[in-house]
Amino acid sequence: MATTSTALQELGRFLRRRRGELQPHDVGLAPRRGERRRVSGLRREEVAQLAAISADYYTRIEQGRLPPSASVFAALVRVLRLDEEQSDYLRRLLARTASPPPAPARDRRRGRGQSVRPQLTRLLGQLDRVPALVFGRHLDILAWNDLAAALLIDFAHIAERDRNYVRLVFTDPTMRARYLEWEQVARTCVAVLRMNAADNPADPALSRLVGDLSIASADFRRWWAERRVAHQNFGTKLVRHPVVGDMVLDWDSFQQVGNPDQQLIIWSAEPGTEAEGRLADLRTSQ
């Protein structure tokens, strides 16, 4: 029941945050003459009216006391102008309320069940022309090749407990200095972590990570409270390397069919670009 309750509470908090981001004119409501609004965003009653449900029903959803029905969920997606990623985040939370909490099996504890298959480790070694890493739950860094360590940071010199991509982006000066657009990278990290958290919002490892980063970084604390969400699919990063210089690198994520908790991340440079040459220089400088 704890996981179900946690998922419902998070769903309610997400809706409350989103409601506060919208103004009446965003959803087609005309302000009343002389009206003084006491809330910064939409009122609960206004959301309920637009979704064609009772204010009491919507209040109980926001309070985490019951999940919305399929039709009400669709109405809230429309009324609150949720995008595809926001909608997916809420669907994943709802899925937690429809199934029993997972058994505390060994693969739910940090350090177990996150081992990388030997075949994938071998593949990392064979990917010698591009940086590559394997992410586990909550963006834990489980494995990497030599070029990834040369590009970002020598992960082997980092304690296993701290070998987490989000943690390093926020707390390690070397990692932070690698990104010319650090704030964008950091905000995306938080959004991806929030999205991943929907699958098990009561995960103790997640709670520890969020707690540690909330203490260590005011930026993380603020951005986590914003409840932005994002999928980890692909993107571009501007990397500043102290030896070979600045590079524009694309990254792509590949999820394992047999182990959806693990993802192979590959960085690459567009052929014929300066970044491709600098990545080759980095490879030969190891």
Side-chain angles (χ1 to χ4, degrees), residues 6 21 96 110 141 149-150 160 182 185 194 196 235 258 268-269 278 281:
T6 301
E21 294 173 341
R96 303 303 302 167
R110 181 177 175 82
I141 300 169
E160 184 177 356
W182 177 85
V185 171
R194 171 71 74 178
N196 291 349
S268 64
R278 291 182 175 178
D281 291 341

Side-chain angles (χ1 to χ4, degrees), residues 1-14:
M1 292 298 293
T3 301
T4 298
S5 175
T6 301
L8 278 179
Q9 290 169 7
E10 171 56 24
L11 185 145
R13 286 190 287 264
F14 183 92

Side-chain angles (χ1 to χ4, degrees), residues 85-111:
E85 291 179 324
Q86 292 170 323
S87 302
D88 184 48
Y89 178 66
L90 293 187
R91 288 190 191 95
R92 291 164 76 168
L93 288 172
L94 281 173
R96 303 303 302 167
T97 71
S99 59
R106 67 174 188 169
D107 65 350
R108 291 292 165 185
R109 287 174 285 187
R110 181 177 175 82

